[in-house]
Amino acid sequence: MEKTKKKLSLTSKIAIGFALGIILGLIFGEKIMVIKVIGDIFMKLLKMLVMPLVLLSLISGVSSISDIRKLRSIGTKTLAIFLANTLLACVAGLALGAVFKPGAGVIIDSASTDIYQATAIPSWSDTLLSLFPDNVFNSLSSGNMIQVIVFALFFAIAIAALGEKAEGVRKGINSLADVMYKVTNYVLALSPVGVCALIACSVGQYGLGVFGALGKLIVADYAIQLIFCIVIYFPMIRLISNIKVGYFMRKILPVWAMTASTTSSAGTLPVTLKVATDDLGIDEEVANFVCPLGSTVNMAGGAIWDAVVVIFAAQIYGIDLTFTQMVLVVVTASLICIGSPGIPGGGVVSAVMLIGMLGIPIEVAGMIAAIYRLLDMAHTTMNVTGDIVTAAVVAKTENLLHTPEEGICKAAK
């Protein structure tokens, strides 16, 4: 009997590509730049995904929120909390990123600093006007992300409002989105080769010192995710839901094990629902609405990452972001996170689009891709934690929370 060969996971392949890239860069030095074209192709493929992925995923996600009519009160509270958490996460990422300075003092390519040209700060009226497209096809072709998002929101809301009349359109969009997710998986499957080429060229041209930034980025990202959880989520659990934080932590551990291993909010959903209903006592009516919806539109962990990676790239190239640019990052990142699906590796795509949107060189994205699996473990964990916290808060305000007595705070008994 032949033994079935165990295939290497994408994570293992990327790790091998990363290590091989370092070795090749050290052996061949600057001569390795001959394979730079491979890394460039990988980067172009990532950018190729941006517009269609955001357009289709946003329309698909928002148009599916027609169930709010059945659970009007629950739906309104849920969406309000999701939106507030996402906005707070973006602001926290920018503020704490400026404190941790993950990219300060790191030089990847001194010549690339000339790529960014400072421009005059636009007025608020010009900024507001620039949000709205006059031709969505021009917006798509020119890569104007915020205008595409605005169009997608209008389109999705119209589908939801028409209900049965637009059911065919909604199903068609969902099918197209599924196809786009599959294309994304194909591109991400090339990550080992792309990462190998990008890392080899980075090491060959700049030496191992280039990786100092990656350690700082990982520490900063994890630290900010943890701070956000302690400052925002724990008080929501303790003060609003009246659940002991220690009890909550013990019961949510199986969820965290799943998020760390799958880096997928959707893949963790069965465990999320079980913990929410069986262990925390959240009524099924609330849990079955909030948690599946959250796996699509609640990406606070991803929002923190989007803000941190913008700060990281800006600091590397010595760029001081204006207040207008930071507001644009908060708005754009929030909309992207609300509309984007919880697909593994999606944060690399969002990093490319946000960095590029601000006119910052995107060369750092190749390095980020090499370590993103490690970062995504924290992002997915924070996303799903937010889903459960939101479900508990909504259930409490609707008198649909039945936490076992051992998990209820004494003051609330």
Side-chain angles (χ1 to χ4, degrees):
M1 182 181 293
E2 294 183 4
K3 293 183 178 180
T4 304
K5 292 183 178 180
K6 187 176 180 181
K7 294 183 178 180
L8 284 175
S9 65
L10 180 60
T11 302
S12 299
K13 292 178 181 178
I14 290 177
I16 293 172
F18 186 88
L20 182 59
I22 295 176
I23 295 172
L24 292 175
L26 291 174
I27 293 175
F28 295 101
E30 292 193 7
K31 293 180 180 179
I32 200 65
M33 295 301 292
V34 69
I35 68 170
K36 184 176 182 295
V37 64
I38 298 176
D40 291 341
I41 291 174
F42 177 61
M43 292 303 301
K44 287 178 73 69
L45 289 173
L46 286 177
K47 290 190 286 184
M48 174 191 74
L49 299 173
V50 171
M51 287 300 162
L53 186 62
V54 170
L55 177 67
L56 293 171
S57 64
L58 188 57
I59 294 175
S60 177
V62 176
S63 65
S64 67
I65 309 178
S66 57
D67 287 342
I68 293 178
R69 295 175 181 176
K70 299 178 182 178
L71 297 170
R72 188 177 302 274
S73 177
I74 293 174
T76 301
K77 293 174 183 177
T78 299
L79 292 176
I81 295 173
F82 282 168
L83 179 59
N85 282 341
T86 302
L87 288 171
L88 283 173
C90 285
V91 173
L94 287 173
L96 294 176
V99 173
F100 281 94
K101 301 184 184 302
V106 179
I107 300 177
I108 288 183
D109 186 353
S110 58
S112 293
T113 55
D114 297 331
I115 296 176
Y116 178 84
Q117 297 295 330
T119 56
I121 301 175
S123 65
W124 278 105
S125 59
D126 289 339
T127 300
L128 183 61
L129 186 62
S130 68
L131 301 180
F132 299 93
D134 51 17
N135 187 324
V136 69
F137 297 104
N138 285 341
S139 301
L140 284 165
S141 62
S142 63
N144 192 318
M145 180 58 58
I146 191 66
Q147 291 184 0
V148 171
I149 290 174
V150 169
F151 170 79
L153 287 173
F154 274 104
F155 198 86
I157 292 171
I159 292 175
L162 288 171
E164 291 294 330
K165 292 182 180 179
E167 184 63 18
V169 176
R170 190 181 69 81
K171 288 182 178 179
I173 292 292
N174 289 342
S175 295
L176 287 172
D178 288 338
V179 172
M180 198 62 225
Y181 303 153
K182 192 66 175 179
V183 173
T184 301
N185 289 335
Y186 289 152
V187 173
L188 293 179
L190 301 175
S191 296
V193 177
V195 165
C196 178
L198 290 166
I199 293 302
C201 291
S202 295
V203 174
Q205 190 170 7
Y206 311 116
L208 287 175
V210 73
F211 295 107
L214 296 180
K216 293 171 65 179
L217 176 61
I218 294 171
V219 171
D221 187 46
Y222 269 76
I224 295 172
Q225 301 280 351
L226 180 60
I227 290 171
F228 185 82
C229 185
I230 294 173
V231 174
I232 302 298
Y233 287 156
F234 285 178
M236 290 174 68
I237 280 292
R238 171 62 178 82
L239 301 178
I240 302 178
S241 301
N242 292 321
I243 298 175
K244 294 177 181 177
V245 173
Y247 179 84
F248 175 79
M249 290 283 288
R250 290 197 305 274
K251 297 303 180 181
I252 204 174
L253 284 178
V255 175
W256 287 358
M258 282 294 294
T259 55
S261 60
T262 66
T263 64
S264 171
S265 298
T268 308
L269 192 56
V271 178
T272 302
L273 289 171
K274 184 179 185 302
V275 169
T277 56
D278 296 352
D279 297 330
L280 297 178
I282 300 171
D283 191 277
E284 289 187 3
E285 185 180 33
V286 176
N288 289 340
F289 176 81
V290 176
C291 294
L293 180 63
S295 69
T296 301
V297 303
N298 183 40
M299 302 291 169
I304 291 174
W305 157 252
D306 287 338
V308 170
V309 76
V310 166
I311 291 292
F312 172 69
Q315 289 175 347
I316 282 180
Y317 291 100
I319 298 167
D320 293 323
L321 297 178
T322 66
F323 179 74
T324 300
Q325 288 175 316
M326 287 189 285
V327 170
L328 185 60
V329 169
V330 170
V331 173
T332 305
S334 296
L335 292 174
I336 290 173
C337 289
I338 289 172
S340 297
I343 56 173
V348 179
V349 180
S350 67
V352 172
M353 68 176 72
L354 286 169
I355 293 172
M357 180 185 71
L358 296 175
I360 301 174
I362 64 170
E363 283 85 349
V364 294
M367 295 173 57
I368 292 169
I371 60 165
Y372 186 72
R373 175 62 175 76
L374 177 61
L375 294 165
D376 203 16
M377 292 166 62
H379 306 163
T380 306
T381 298
M382 196 57 53
N383 292 340
V384 177
T385 300
D387 297 343
I388 297 178
V389 170
T390 300
V393 169
V394 172
K396 181 65 177 180
T397 60
E398 295 287 331
N399 294 317
L400 294 172
L401 182 62
H402 316 290
T403 306
E405 187 174 351
E406 62 175 309
I408 302 175
C409 297
K410 292 182 179 180
K413 292 181 180 180

Short mmCIF file of all heavy atoms in Angstrom, two decimals, residues 322-364:
data_model
loop_
_atom_site.label_atom_id
_atom_site.label_comp_id
_atom_site.label_asym_id
_atom_site.label_seq_id
_atom_site.Cartn_x
_atom_site.Cartn_y
_atom_site.Cartn_z
N THR A 322 -0.03 64.00 6.00
CA THR A 322 -0.83 65.15 6.39
C THR A 322 -2.09 64.68 7.10
O THR A 322 -2.47 63.50 7.02
CB THR A 322 -1.23 65.98 5.16
OG1 THR A 322 -2.11 65.19 4.34
CG2 THR A 322 0.00 66.38 4.35
N PHE A 323 -2.75 65.60 7.78
CA PHE A 323 -4.00 65.26 8.46
C PHE A 323 -5.04 64.77 7.46
O PHE A 323 -5.77 63.82 7.72
CB PHE A 323 -4.54 66.48 9.22
CG PHE A 323 -5.83 66.21 9.94
CD1 PHE A 323 -5.87 65.46 11.09
CD2 PHE A 323 -7.03 66.71 9.43
CE1 PHE A 323 -7.06 65.21 11.76
CE2 PHE A 323 -8.23 66.47 10.08
CZ PHE A 323 -8.25 65.72 11.25
N THR A 324 -5.09 65.43 6.29
CA THR A 324 -6.04 65.02 5.25
C THR A 324 -5.77 63.60 4.79
O THR A 324 -6.70 62.81 4.59
CB THR A 324 -5.96 65.97 4.05
OG1 THR A 324 -6.27 67.30 4.48
CG2 THR A 324 -6.94 65.56 2.96
N GLN A 325 -4.49 63.25 4.61
CA GLN A 325 -4.13 61.90 4.19
C GLN A 325 -4.51 60.87 5.25
O GLN A 325 -4.99 59.78 4.93
CB GLN A 325 -2.63 61.82 3.89
CG GLN A 325 -2.22 62.52 2.61
CD GLN A 325 -0.72 62.51 2.42
OE1 GLN A 325 0.04 62.75 3.36
NE2 GLN A 325 -0.28 62.21 1.21
N MET A 326 -4.32 61.22 6.53
CA MET A 326 -4.67 60.29 7.59
C MET A 326 -6.18 60.07 7.66
O MET A 326 -6.65 58.95 7.90
CB MET A 326 -4.13 60.79 8.93
CG MET A 326 -2.62 60.65 9.05
SD MET A 326 -1.97 60.99 10.71
CE MET A 326 -2.08 62.77 10.75
N VAL A 327 -6.95 61.14 7.45
CA VAL A 327 -8.40 60.99 7.41
C VAL A 327 -8.81 60.09 6.24
O VAL A 327 -9.68 59.23 6.36
CB VAL A 327 -9.09 62.37 7.29
CG1 VAL A 327 -10.59 62.21 7.00
CG2 VAL A 327 -8.89 63.19 8.55
N LEU A 328 -8.14 60.28 5.11
CA LEU A 328 -8.41 59.47 3.93
C LEU A 328 -8.10 58.00 4.21
O LEU A 328 -8.85 57.10 3.78
CB LEU A 328 -7.60 59.96 2.73
CG LEU A 328 -7.86 59.28 1.39
CD1 LEU A 328 -9.31 59.45 0.98
CD2 LEU A 328 -6.92 59.83 0.32
N VAL A 329 -7.01 57.75 4.92
CA VAL A 329 -6.65 56.37 5.29
C VAL A 329 -7.72 55.75 6.18
O VAL A 329 -8.14 54.61 5.97
CB VAL A 329 -5.28 56.33 6.00
CG1 VAL A 329 -5.03 54.96 6.62
CG2 VAL A 329 -4.16 56.67 5.03
N VAL A 330 -8.18 56.52 7.18
CA VAL A 330 -9.20 56.01 8.10
C VAL A 330 -10.47 55.66 7.35
O VAL A 330 -11.04 54.57 7.50
CB VAL A 330 -9.50 57.04 9.21
CG1 VAL A 330 -10.73 56.62 10.02
CG2 VAL A 330 -8.30 57.19 10.13
N VAL A 331 -10.93 56.57 6.49
CA VAL A 331 -12.17 56.34 5.75
C VAL A 331 -12.03 55.19 4.78
O VAL A 331 -12.86 54.26 4.74
CB VAL A 331 -12.59 57.63 4.99
CG1 VAL A 331 -13.79 57.33 4.09
CG2 VAL A 331 -12.93 58.74 5.97
N THR A 332 -10.96 55.20 3.99
CA THR A 332 -10.76 54.17 2.98
C THR A 332 -10.54 52.79 3.61
O THR A 332 -11.15 51.80 3.20
CB THR A 332 -9.55 54.51 2.08
OG1 THR A 332 -9.74 55.81 1.53
CG2 THR A 332 -9.42 53.50 0.95
N ALA A 333 -9.67 52.72 4.61
CA ALA A 333 -9.39 51.45 5.28
C ALA A 333 -10.65 50.90 5.94
O ALA A 333 -10.89 49.69 5.90
CB ALA A 333 -8.28 51.63 6.31
N SER A 334 -11.46 51.77 6.53
CA SER A 334 -12.70 51.32 7.17
C SER A 334 -13.65 50.71 6.15
O SER A 334 -14.23 49.65 6.37
CB SER A 334 -13.38 52.49 7.89
OG SER A 334 -12.57 52.98 8.94
N LEU A 335 -13.81 51.39 5.02
CA LEU A 335 -14.70 50.88 3.99
C LEU A 335 -14.19 49.58 3.39
O LEU A 335 -14.96 48.65 3.13
CB LEU A 335 -14.88 51.93 2.88
CG LEU A 335 -15.65 53.20 3.29
CD1 LEU A 335 -15.64 54.21 2.16
CD2 LEU A 335 -17.09 52.85 3.66
N ILE A 336 -12.87 49.50 3.19
CA ILE A 336 -12.28 48.27 2.65
C ILE A 336 -12.51 47.11 3.62
O ILE A 336 -12.90 46.02 3.22
CB ILE A 336 -10.78 48.46 2.39
CG1 ILE A 336 -10.57 49.41 1.21
CG2 ILE A 336 -10.11 47.12 2.11
CD1 ILE A 336 -9.12 49.79 1.00
N CYS A 337 -12.28 47.36 4.91
CA CYS A 337 -12.42 46.30 5.90
C CYS A 337 -13.87 45.86 6.05
O CYS A 337 -14.16 44.68 6.24
CB CYS A 337 -11.88 46.77 7.25
SG CYS A 337 -10.09 46.93 7.30
N ILE A 338 -14.80 46.81 5.98
CA ILE A 338 -16.21 46.47 6.11
C ILE A 338 -16.68 45.64 4.92
O ILE A 338 -17.50 44.73 5.06
CB ILE A 338 -17.07 47.75 6.24
CG1 ILE A 338 -16.82 48.40 7.61
CG2 ILE A 338 -18.55 47.45 6.07
CD1 ILE A 338 -17.46 49.76 7.77
N GLY A 339 -16.14 45.91 3.75
CA GLY A 339 -16.61 45.21 2.56
C GLY A 339 -15.79 44.03 2.13
O GLY A 339 -16.23 43.25 1.29
N SER A 340 -14.59 43.87 2.71
CA SER A 340 -13.72 42.79 2.24
C SER A 340 -14.00 41.50 2.98
O SER A 340 -14.30 41.52 4.17
CB SER A 340 -12.25 43.19 2.45
OG SER A 340 -11.94 44.32 1.67
N PRO A 341 -13.88 40.36 2.30
CA PRO A 341 -14.08 39.06 2.95
C PRO A 341 -12.86 38.69 3.77
O PRO A 341 -11.78 39.21 3.56
CB PRO A 341 -14.24 38.11 1.77
CG PRO A 341 -13.40 38.73 0.70
CD PRO A 341 -13.56 40.22 0.87
N GLY A 342 -13.05 37.78 4.73
CA GLY A 342 -11.95 37.34 5.58
C GLY A 342 -11.12 36.28 4.91
O GLY A 342 -11.05 35.15 5.39
N ILE A 343 -10.46 36.62 3.81
CA ILE A 343 -9.65 35.64 3.09
C ILE A 343 -8.19 35.75 3.55
O ILE A 343 -7.67 36.85 3.74
CB ILE A 343 -9.72 35.84 1.56
CG1 ILE A 343 -9.32 37.27 1.17
CG2 ILE A 343 -11.11 35.54 1.06
CD1 ILE A 343 -9.22 37.49 -0.32
N PRO A 344 -7.52 34.60 3.75
CA PRO A 344 -6.12 34.64 4.15
C PRO A 344 -5.28 35.38 3.11
O PRO A 344 -5.43 35.18 1.91
CB PRO A 344 -5.74 33.15 4.21
CG PRO A 344 -7.04 32.44 4.44
CD PRO A 344 -8.05 33.24 3.67
N GLY A 345 -4.39 36.26 3.59
CA GLY A 345 -3.52 36.99 2.68
C GLY A 345 -4.11 38.27 2.13
O GLY A 345 -3.44 39.01 1.41
N GLY A 346 -5.37 38.54 2.46
CA GLY A 346 -6.01 39.74 1.92
C GLY A 346 -5.36 41.03 2.38
O GLY A 346 -5.45 42.05 1.70
N GLY A 347 -4.70 40.99 3.55
CA GLY A 347 -4.05 42.18 4.07
C GLY A 347 -2.90 42.65 3.21
O GLY A 347 -2.55 43.85 3.22
N VAL A 348 -2.28 41.76 2.45
CA VAL A 348 -1.20 42.16 1.54
C VAL A 348 -1.78 43.02 0.42
O VAL A 348 -1.22 44.04 0.03
CB VAL A 348 -0.49 40.93 0.95
CG1 VAL A 348 0.60 41.37 -0.02
CG2 VAL A 348 0.11 40.08 2.06
N VAL A 349 -2.95 42.61 -0.08
CA VAL A 349 -3.61 43.36 -1.14
C VAL A 349 -4.03 44.74 -0.64
O VAL A 349 -3.83 45.75 -1.32
CB VAL A 349 -4.84 42.60 -1.68
CG1 VAL A 349 -5.52 43.40 -2.78
CG2 VAL A 349 -4.43 41.23 -2.21
N SER A 350 -4.61 44.80 0.56
CA SER A 350 -5.04 46.09 1.10
C SER A 350 -3.84 46.98 1.36
O SER A 350 -3.92 48.20 1.20
CB SER A 350 -5.84 45.88 2.39
OG SER A 350 -5.04 45.37 3.44
N ALA A 351 -2.71 46.39 1.77
CA ALA A 351 -1.50 47.18 1.99
C ALA A 351 -1.03 47.83 0.69
O ALA A 351 -0.67 49.01 0.67
CB ALA A 351 -0.40 46.29 2.57
N VAL A 352 -1.06 47.05 -0.39
CA VAL A 352 -0.65 47.57 -1.69
C VAL A 352 -1.53 48.73 -2.11
O VAL A 352 -1.05 49.79 -2.55
CB VAL A 352 -0.68 46.46 -2.77
CG1 VAL A 352 -0.45 47.06 -4.15
CG2 VAL A 352 0.37 45.40 -2.47
N MET A 353 -2.84 48.57 -1.95
CA MET A 353 -3.76 49.61 -2.43
C MET A 353 -3.66 50.88 -1.59
O MET A 353 -3.69 51.99 -2.14
CB MET A 353 -5.19 49.09 -2.46
CG MET A 353 -5.83 48.80 -1.12
SD MET A 353 -7.57 48.30 -1.27
CE MET A 353 -7.38 46.66 -1.96
N LEU A 354 -3.51 50.76 -0.28
CA LEU A 354 -3.45 51.94 0.57
C LEU A 354 -2.12 52.69 0.41
O LEU A 354 -2.10 53.91 0.34
CB LEU A 354 -3.66 51.54 2.03
CG LEU A 354 -5.09 51.18 2.42
CD1 LEU A 354 -5.13 50.55 3.80
CD2 LEU A 354 -5.99 52.40 2.37
N ILE A 355 -1.03 51.93 0.37
CA ILE A 355 0.28 52.56 0.18
C ILE A 355 0.34 53.27 -1.17
O ILE A 355 0.79 54.41 -1.29
CB ILE A 355 1.41 51.52 0.30
CG1 ILE A 355 1.48 50.99 1.73
CG2 ILE A 355 2.75 52.14 -0.08
CD1 ILE A 355 2.43 49.82 1.90
N GLY A 356 -0.14 52.57 -2.21
CA GLY A 356 -0.15 53.16 -3.54
C GLY A 356 -1.07 54.36 -3.63
O GLY A 356 -0.78 55.34 -4.34
N MET A 357 -2.21 54.32 -2.93
CA MET A 357 -3.17 55.42 -2.96
C MET A 357 -2.56 56.72 -2.47
O MET A 357 -2.87 57.81 -2.95
CB MET A 357 -4.39 55.06 -2.11
CG MET A 357 -5.48 56.12 -2.06
SD MET A 357 -6.82 55.67 -0.91
CE MET A 357 -5.97 55.87 0.68
N LEU A 358 -1.62 56.61 -1.51
CA LEU A 358 -0.99 57.79 -0.94
C LEU A 358 0.26 58.21 -1.71
O LEU A 358 0.93 59.16 -1.33
CB LEU A 358 -0.62 57.52 0.53
CG LEU A 358 -1.80 57.28 1.48
CD1 LEU A 358 -1.29 56.90 2.86
CD2 LEU A 358 -2.70 58.51 1.55
N GLY A 359 0.58 57.49 -2.78
CA GLY A 359 1.75 57.84 -3.58
C GLY A 359 3.05 57.39 -2.97
O GLY A 359 4.12 57.88 -3.33
N ILE A 360 2.99 56.45 -2.02
CA ILE A 360 4.19 55.93 -1.38
C ILE A 360 4.69 54.72 -2.17
O ILE A 360 3.89 53.90 -2.59
CB ILE A 360 3.90 55.51 0.07
CG1 ILE A 360 3.37 56.71 0.87
CG2 ILE A 360 5.15 54.94 0.75
CD1 ILE A 360 2.91 56.35 2.27
N PRO A 361 6.01 54.61 -2.41
CA PRO A 361 6.53 53.44 -3.12
C PRO A 361 6.08 52.14 -2.47
O PRO A 361 6.09 52.00 -1.24
CB PRO A 361 8.05 53.61 -3.01
CG PRO A 361 8.24 55.09 -2.86
CD PRO A 361 7.06 55.56 -2.04
N ILE A 362 5.70 51.16 -3.28
CA ILE A 362 5.13 49.92 -2.74
C ILE A 362 6.14 48.77 -2.67
O ILE A 362 5.75 47.63 -2.47
CB ILE A 362 3.92 49.47 -3.58
CG1 ILE A 362 4.37 49.12 -5.01
CG2 ILE A 362 2.83 50.53 -3.59
CD1 ILE A 362 3.27 48.45 -5.82
N GLU A 363 7.43 49.06 -2.80
CA GLU A 363 8.42 47.99 -2.76
C GLU A 363 8.37 47.19 -1.46
O GLU A 363 8.68 46.00 -1.43
CB GLU A 363 9.84 48.58 -2.94
CG GLU A 363 10.19 48.94 -4.37
CD GLU A 363 9.71 50.33 -4.75
OE1 GLU A 363 8.93 50.93 -3.98
OE2 GLU A 363 10.09 50.83 -5.82
N VAL A 364 7.98 47.86 -0.36
CA VAL A 364 7.96 47.17 0.93
C VAL A 364 6.91 46.06 0.97
O VAL A 364 6.99 45.17 1.81
CB VAL A 364 7.68 48.17 2.07
CG1 VAL A 364 8.81 49.14 2.23
CG2 VAL A 364 6.36 48.89 1.85
#
